[in-house]
Amino acid sequence: MIAERERTIDELQSELARYKKAGSRMNNAQVREELNWSAEEINFAETVNNLCKHHLFVRIKFLKDDWQSYLPMEKSSLYSVCMRKLSIPENAERQDIWERVIVPAIARKYKNLKCNLANDIKSIYMSMRSISVDEYNIDYCLCANICADCC
């Protein structure tokens, strides 16, 4: 019972820390400190980042509103997909590792991937120049053919 209450206190403290830092970007050291990750959990978070980059974000650009929910019985939930693709650390409770490591890691990685994508789109848009030649407007793309559809 005491261990359960201590776990609840830790969860509430980590949730409070997440809400405090919601508007600012934390570096990896700050995230590890705020969420009390062990060395094994840090390595596992890197595995989650790779899963996001190479599997999840490629297939799912926008996560559902309830993606953070712990739904072990629902096969189509993000929890189930992650548990099929990841091998969680030994002696780790599935719900605990989901709430403390996987969810924050996915949230951070998706935020970074979307920011990178937006910056790429912005740089392509900003590289477009419009010039006028004898009453005709011609758009030139200076993006060096990064994407085949724009040129």
Side-chain angles (χ1 to χ4, degrees):
M1 182 160 171
I2 293 174
E4 184 179 325
R5 287 187 184 208
E6 287 177 355
R7 181 174 173 236
T8 303
I9 289 170
D10 288 342
E11 288 174 2
L12 291 173
Q13 285 176 339
S14 66
E15 186 176 352
L16 181 62
R18 274 187 282 169
Y19 286 125
K20 283 182 183 176
K21 304 285 184 182
S24 64
R25 290 182 64 173
M26 296 187 294
N27 63 27
N28 288 338
Q30 290 171 329
V31 170
R32 292 174 192 136
E33 183 180 316
E34 291 291 330
L35 298 175
N36 299 321
W37 286 352
S38 66
E40 190 176 20
E41 291 169 341
I42 292 167
N43 292 336
F44 181 66
E46 287 299 319
T47 306
V48 174
N49 287 341
N50 289 334
L51 174 73
C52 288
K53 184 176 181 180
H54 299 292
H55 183 77
L56 292 178
F57 194 73
V58 173
R59 291 165 177 77
I60 308 167
K61 296 290 189 262
F62 301 99
L63 298 172
K64 295 179 183 177
D65 290 336
D66 65 341
W67 71 270
Q68 298 175 343
S69 301
Y70 175 73
L71 303 169
M73 298 302 188
E74 192 174 319
K75 294 205 181 234
S76 64
S77 69
L78 186 62
Y79 169 82
S80 296
V81 171
C82 289
M83 289 301 147
R84 281 194 302 270
K85 298 287 182 183
L86 297 169
S87 57
I88 64 170
E90 292 181 22
N91 302 327
E93 294 179 26
R94 289 181 175 266
Q95 184 173 4
D96 179 56
I97 203 82
W98 171 255
E99 292 171 352
R100 283 190 333 99
V101 180
I102 299 174
V103 168
I106 290 174
R108 288 190 75 227
K109 190 62 177 180
Y110 259 75
K111 186 176 182 179
N112 290 340
L113 287 170
K114 286 181 181 180
C115 183
N116 292 343
L117 183 62
N119 287 339
D120 289 346
I121 291 169
K122 181 180 175 184
S123 67
I124 290 171
Y125 176 74
M126 296 303 283
S127 69
M128 299 286 288
R129 301 287 188 254
S130 179
I131 61 170
S132 294
V133 178
D134 297 331
E135 300 177 8
Y136 297 103
N137 281 337
I138 301 172
D139 289 328
Y140 286 98
C141 180
L142 303 175
C143 67
N145 293 328
I146 292 172
C147 58
D149 294 341
C150 70
C151 302

